[in-house]
Amino acid sequence: MTASSIFPKNAILKEPRAFKTRKNRKNKERKPWHVLSAFSILLILIAILVITSWILNWANVHTNITTTTIDALGIYLKQNGTEVHILPGDSLFKEIFGDASLTNNQQQLNDLLHKWLGANRDYEFDRWDLRILSETTSVKIKALGVIDIFFAPIKGFVKQANIIIFVLIVGGFLFLVVQSKSLEGFSQGLIHKLKGKELWAIPPIMLFFSLCGTVEGLAEEALAFYAFSIPLMLIAGFDTMTGFLIVFLGAGIGVVGSTVVPFSIVPAINALNGASVDQGGPSNFITIGDGLVWRFITWFVVTSSAIGFVTWYAWRVKRHPDLSVTFKTATQDKKFFLANSYEKIKMDWRRKTTLAIFFLAYLIMLLYLINWDTLTGTNIMAKAGEKMNEKVPWLTAWIPGFGQGSLLEVSCFFLIGSIILGLINGLGEDKFIKEFMTGASDLLSVSLVIATASGIALVLEATYMQNLVLVGLENSIGSLNSNIGKLIILFLLFIPISIFIPSTSGFAVAIFPLLLNVVAVKDGNGEIIGAHDVLASGSVEAFVNANGFVNLWSPTSSLVLAGLAIARINYITYLKLMWKYFLALFALLILMLTFGGLIGGNIA
């Protein structure tokens, strides 16, 4: 038998297969490390909590819960400083509460009273005429089942329905804006107007992205901007790191200094308000206007620091290209990013109008969610809303006045804005629905995270483990005499939590209900009467600062790795350049928390 009969003609002889030795196995290419999604992390946390509930239940662990029985006799109001005692049989009681009785849900009574006081400013709330009977009982930690692990996110969907509706509609709105390329055209215009002085284009572009970050939490949407920011910076004589930082650090530092972001500030405020109502406190425990000045000052300071750092780095690279952290790959980067010239986007009337509507929508959201009547001590907005509903029902018979509504009403505004964008850009019904649904679907993962995070709070509540956590928080934080110390400890605690829960909305929904007793003011009977002027808004500030800070460098943040992959920059190279700035930013954030704590009620 010949070799030709064994091997077919023109066959290629392969090398003999090597035996799998220990050395071969070591040299075998390893799979890249996979970072779990926020949903997976949260679901695992729920599973851990359920298992913990079994262990504590089997160990016969008990905790004390206080059951409060309220025997309502009436209500005390003050009319121009004079105390007025109103009983259920009085006509004024009927005017305030209608058919509701003092045995109704406390939230319903508070909402009815708040609405009436908003329209009758000569009256102010003094106190309920109550007989409070408190009973403390010892209960055993309750164990949940395996199926409950998967039922918890579903219950979370129900509880957070208002926020989820808002997130989905905003997602559709943002996708329409991004698809119009109006934001890209706006940034390109700045570059071309500053031709020859490209270095001075960096501050306004970063300021623009920071504004997007502080107002709407620009995150995943920022990935679309690297495709033009990096080529533009290379053409201007800078490097890929400059193009990356303009977008990533610009938007990221805006998120660190969030002022009215609907995916972090609003869920945190809603979580505190919801927890307050659950414990018999006011439904308007905290508003988006609380701490707004503090958050704005912080945003301005940290944004200035980021712009200064990137401008300094770009200036250094422009003068000495060999000092670029990506100098070794500069030739390959230019070949890759400048192979095709970037698309020049013309800012026609459609894109200019789209940009105007984008900013107008967020301005309306900001103005609508701030409780102006509380800030001004008047009832102008409440009465204006009621008059609008009564006199102009063809416009709206449901939407209350500015500062009187919630995310549901704001969702309506963004839906209207989306339809207007569809008409302006001539999308037609089919294309509009397709793009709007695509944008909403992009944020389905965020909605899932919100629901699952809410499931964590529900598990803690149902098993009574929340009481154990509350006692721990109050003992570790609440016992401190210094408000500044409490805020700094919260900030430090929020950093590791943010690594495992990088989603701002998921963090807010899971953690803030547990902080209520730490940031609330209580009367002599232990009842919640309001928010601490520094700790309530300060906890929100510490949260957005810590979460935004972590998302600038943590490998659990998909935005860091995705952006670096687009820019063709190694993660270690990025950290080598940024670690000193991150340390300075860390110190700066603690300084701003200290500043707010010292000033107190004037800005908080």
Side-chain angles (χ1 to χ4, degrees):
M1 184 177 289
T2 63
S4 60
S5 64
I6 298 176
F7 300 104
K9 200 172 185 179
N10 299 326
I12 300 176
L13 296 180
K14 297 183 180 179
E15 293 184 11
R17 186 176 180 181
F19 290 106
K20 289 186 176 179
T21 63
R22 185 182 299 273
K23 185 176 181 180
N24 294 138
R25 287 194 294 268
K26 285 185 178 180
N27 291 335
K28 187 177 180 180
E29 184 179 351
R30 295 181 179 180
K31 293 183 179 180
W33 182 51
H34 175 67
V35 180
L36 292 176
S37 67
F39 167 72
S40 298
I41 293 172
L42 291 171
L43 197 62
I44 290 172
L45 287 177
I46 290 178
I48 292 173
L49 288 176
V50 169
I51 294 173
T52 303
S53 73
W54 298 345
I55 296 173
L56 295 177
N57 179 269
W58 292 336
N60 201 32
V61 175
H62 285 67
T63 184
N64 292 330
I65 62 170
T66 302
T67 304
T68 303
T69 303
I70 301 176
D71 185 7
L73 304 177
I75 187 173
Y76 285 97
L77 301 179
K78 284 187 178 180
Q79 183 181 23
N80 299 323
T82 303
E83 187 175 79
V84 180
H85 189 197
I86 305 171
L87 298 173
D90 297 342
S91 59
L92 189 56
F93 183 92
K94 179 74 173 178
E95 180 182 335
I96 298 173
F97 299 108
D99 296 329
S101 68
L102 289 176
T103 58
N104 278 58
N105 179 277
Q106 188 65 38
Q107 180 180 359
Q108 180 187 4
L109 295 176
N110 284 334
D111 290 343
L112 291 171
L113 177 61
H114 178 69
K115 183 177 180 181
W116 186 85
L117 291 174
N120 296 270
R121 284 291 172 176
D122 51 335
Y123 286 90
E124 61 178 316
F125 175 73
D126 185 12
R127 67 188 187 278
W128 289 97
D129 184 7
L130 305 173
R131 182 166 59 242
I132 302 176
L133 303 175
S134 298
E135 181 182 2
T136 301
T137 57
S138 178
V139 296
K140 185 179 180 180
I141 298 297
K142 181 179 179 181
L144 296 184
V146 175
I147 296 178
D148 297 326
I149 296 173
F150 307 98
F151 190 49
I154 296 175
K155 290 176 70 70
F157 259 108
V158 176
K159 186 173 182 179
Q160 302 297 335
N162 289 2
I163 296 178
I164 290 172
I165 290 171
F166 171 73
V167 167
L168 294 177
I169 291 179
V170 169
F173 175 82
L174 291 177
F175 190 80
L176 291 169
V177 174
V178 171
Q179 287 296 103
S180 71
K181 297 185 177 181
S182 56
L183 294 177
E184 294 181 50
F186 175 75
S187 298
Q188 285 185 6
L190 288 177
I191 287 285
H192 286 290
K193 287 182 179 179
L194 294 171
K195 190 173 183 180
K197 301 179 181 178
E198 292 86 356
L199 187 67
W200 298 108
I202 293 175
I205 292 179
M206 286 192 68
L207 179 62
F208 166 72
F209 282 114
S210 182
L211 283 170
C212 292
T214 191
V215 171
E216 64 97 0
L218 186 71
E220 289 86 355
E221 303 83 6
L223 296 175
F225 295 101
Y226 297 124
F228 80 90
S229 67
I230 294 175
L232 283 177
M233 290 299 102
L234 289 175
I235 292 173
F238 304 115
D239 62 356
T240 54
M241 181 65 80
T242 304
F244 169 75
L245 290 177
I246 285 175
V247 177
F248 179 77
L249 189 59
I253 205 68
V255 174
V256 172
S258 295
T259 51
V260 292
V261 174
F263 309 117
S264 57
I265 301 292
V266 176
I269 289 172
N270 283 348
L272 284 175
N273 287 336
S276 173
V277 170
D278 290 342
Q279 296 191 33
S283 58
N284 60 336
F285 178 82
I286 184 174
T287 70
I288 200 170
D290 296 328
L292 182 61
V293 176
W294 187 355
R295 296 195 296 272
F296 176 79
I297 294 174
T298 300
W299 167 80
F300 178 80
V301 171
V302 297
T303 298
S304 299
S305 74
I307 292 175
F309 174 79
V310 176
T311 303
W312 165 80
Y313 173 77
W315 171 80
R316 191 177 69 159
V317 169
K318 183 84 169 181
R319 293 188 62 190
H320 306 286
D322 57 311
L323 295 179
S324 167
V325 294
T326 60
F327 178 71
K328 291 182 180 180
T329 61
T331 302
Q332 296 93 319
D333 289 338
K334 289 180 180 179
K335 287 182 179 179
F336 180 83
F337 288 105
L338 301 180
N340 298 306
S341 59
Y342 71 92
E343 177 189 0
K344 178 67 175 68
I345 297 172
K346 180 182 179 181
M347 287 295 288
D348 55 19
W349 71 270
R350 295 181 189 273
R351 291 193 173 106
K352 289 180 180 178
T353 308
T354 296
L355 196 64
I357 292 174
F358 170 76
F359 286 115
L360 181 62
Y362 281 98
L363 178 62
I364 291 175
M365 181 190 74
L366 170 62
L367 297 177
Y368 187 80
L369 290 177
I370 294 176
N371 195 324
W372 296 103
D373 287 353
T374 300
L375 293 176
T376 59
T378 66
N379 61 347
I380 295 175
M381 292 299 180
K383 285 189 173 181
E386 292 175 1
K387 191 172 183 180
M388 173 75 73
N389 298 153
E390 180 183 351
K391 302 294 184 181
V392 198
W394 55 267
L395 184 60
T396 176
W398 286 344
I399 305 294
F402 274 59
Q404 313 300 312
S406 64
L407 286 182
L408 277 181
E409 288 80 11
V410 174
S411 300
C412 178
F413 301 152
F414 276 101
L415 179 60
I416 294 171
S418 299
I419 295 172
I420 294 174
L421 290 181
L423 294 173
I424 288 173
N425 291 287
L427 298 181
E429 181 186 8
D430 292 341
K431 190 173 182 181
F432 166 76
I433 293 177
K434 181 179 178 181
E435 291 195 359
F436 184 83
M437 294 298 290
T438 300
S441 64
D442 286 344
L443 291 185
L444 272 176
S445 59
V446 176
S447 302
L448 193 61
V449 166
I450 293 173
T452 311
S454 181
I456 291 177
L458 292 172
V459 168
L460 288 171
E461 181 181 356
T463 58
Y464 302 117
M465 287 193 295
Q466 178 173 310
N467 293 69
L468 296 176
V469 176
L470 289 174
V471 171
L473 280 173
E474 288 185 290
N475 289 340
S476 62
I477 301 175
S479 59
L480 291 175
N481 294 324
S482 169
N483 292 328
I484 296 174
K486 291 178 182 179
L487 291 179
I488 292 175
I489 289 177
L490 282 176
F491 174 72
L492 296 176
L493 287 175
F494 288 163
I495 288 177
I497 295 175
S498 297
I499 294 175
F500 294 100
I501 310 178
S503 167
T504 52
S505 50
F507 185 117
V509 175
I511 302 301
F512 271 87
L514 306 178
L515 296 177
L516 178 67
N517 290 329
V518 176
V519 302
V521 176
K522 299 182 180 180
D523 60 18
N525 296 317
E527 296 296 313
I528 295 174
I529 58 176
H532 191 283
D533 60 349
V534 171
L535 293 179
S537 58
S539 65
V540 176
E541 173 76 352
F543 153 56
V544 295
N545 291 167
N547 196 278
F549 174 69
V550 166
N551 285 326
L552 290 178
W553 52 264
S554 172
T556 63
S557 173
S558 59
L559 298 177
V560 176
L561 301 180
L564 289 172
I566 294 173
R568 296 163 62 88
I569 298 173
N570 183 272
Y571 178 67
I572 301 301
T573 301
Y574 170 69
L575 290 183
K576 284 181 178 178
L577 171 67
M578 300 298 296
W579 71 270
K580 290 182 181 179
Y581 172 74
F582 288 149
L583 286 178
L585 179 61
F586 176 81
L588 187 59
L589 291 173
I590 291 181
L591 181 64
M592 295 310 300
L593 288 172
T594 304
F595 165 75
L598 288 174
I599 301 297
N602 293 327
I603 65 171

